[in-house]
Amino acid sequence: EAGVVQSPRYKIIEKKQPVAFWCNPISGHNTLYWYRQNLGQGPELLIRYENEEAVDDSQLPKDRFSAERLKGVDSTLKIQPAELGDSAVYLCASSVRTGASTDTQYFGPGTRLTVL
Amino acid sequence: DAKTTQPPSMDCAEGRAANLPCNHSTISGNEYVYWYRQIHSQGPQYIIHGLKNNETNEMASLIITEDRKSSTLILPHATLRDTAVYYCIVRVVDYGQNFVFGPGTRLSVLP
């Protein structure tokens, strides 16, 4: 079974430029998450989708960040314009509801963004 | 804020058992204990989770104290490939709730 796919793996841009990250979740997983991980810290949630609906975007800096999951499968996270402090690893994860009340999230390899 | 406390780093000799502790003294009755690990330049990888009983799978064992205020992740025969940051997370039993990661424990398996 293929895991969560993310691209690109690495991205270097200058500040004020736009950037976009793409995620393809595990087939059949209806829940998709975007996390940001700063150097030396654990990942922090940015947004969660249930199918195509963003059900938790409270931690997403909406002035410059946007995300979409138009057909409830792939997702794109965008930053415009990027700032120096946006340098981090952006992780995508997915999960599926099973008969149990809990779930396991599976993470992709992440996109390492460097803003110069 | 993360609800767990872990040592920042540990060393373990290759082939020996690695025992990683986690304190979660404020855990609620409806919260599971999850363990993930993150190998350098990779995304977090699920290891194991449990509610109150000890759990074992092909990767590790999870020992939860009777009062549920602490737990230990056991890697029975650590290899160099187990070198990673290990995260202990408590999380409500509610589908879709995000994982709140702390800084974790950096485990170094030494040859």
Side-chain angles (χ1 to χ4, degrees):
Chain A
E1 174 182 275
V4 176
V5 179
Q6 292 188 247
S7 68
R9 289 294 315 277
Y10 304 91
K11 189 72 175 179
I12 301 173
I13 61 172
E14 294 187 347
K15 63 181 181 181
K16 301 184 180 180
Q17 294 299 306
V19 65
F21 315 123
W22 176 80
C23 173
N24 180 246
I26 294 172
S27 178
H29 283 199
N30 61 313
T31 307
L32 184 146
Y33 313 77
W34 283 102
Y35 288 82
R36 177 170 60 188
Q37 184 172 24
N38 293 315
L39 188 64
Q41 300 180 22
E44 298 177 323
L45 181 73
L46 291 173
I47 190 169
R48 171 168 66 96
Y49 281 93
E50 295 286 346
N51 299 306
E52 64 274 8
E53 181 182 0
V55 296
D56 183 358
D57 63 355
S58 58
Q59 302 302 313
L60 189 71
K62 299 182 183 62
D63 57 336
R64 296 183 299 106
F65 286 65
S66 65
E68 60 183 14
R69 193 184 184 201
L70 295 177
K71 297 184 178 179
V73 180
D74 296 0
S75 177
T76 302
L77 178 69
K78 299 179 181 178
I79 308 175
Q80 182 171 10
E83 297 179 352
L84 296 177
D86 295 331
S87 295
V89 175
Y90 292 82
L91 293 159
C92 179
S94 69
S95 66
V96 62
R97 184 188 295 269
T98 64
S101 58
T102 186
D103 65 311
T104 297
Q105 294 180 19
Y106 297 90
F107 286 79
T111 296
R112 180 176 297 276
L113 173 67
T114 301
V115 181
L116 303 176
Chain B
D1 292 335
K3 300 178 181 180
T4 62
T5 303
Q6 298 177 254
S9 63
M10 293 181 62
D11 292 340
C12 176
E14 186 178 20
R16 304 296 296 270
N19 298 290
L20 291 91
C22 180
N23 287 321
H24 30 81
S25 58
T26 61
I27 192 170
S28 300
N30 65 343
E31 289 181 317
Y32 277 73
V33 179
Y34 278 78
W35 283 84
Y36 275 74
R37 73 180 182 183
Q38 189 169 22
I39 296 170
H40 183 62
S41 295
Q42 298 183 22
Q45 176 190 24
Y46 167 79
I47 301 174
I48 198 166
H49 73 281
L51 184 61
K52 54 183 179 181
N53 297 321
N54 297 337
E55 302 287 344
T56 296
N57 63 20
E58 64 278 4
M59 290 183 67
S61 295
L62 173 60
I63 308 299
I64 303 174
T65 58
E66 189 170 348
D67 63 8
R68 301 211 321 126
K69 293 185 177 182
S70 66
S71 60
T72 301
L73 179 74
I74 301 173
L75 308 178
H77 305 287
T79 71
L80 299 179
R81 289 175 294 181
D82 292 321
T83 293
V85 177
Y86 287 77
Y87 298 101
C88 170
I89 304 161
V90 295
R91 179 172 174 266
V92 296
V93 179
D94 186 8
Y95 178 78
Q97 289 297 311
N98 63 295
F99 287 85
V100 179
F101 290 81
T105 295
R106 181 172 298 277
L107 175 69
S108 298
V109 180
L110 307 175

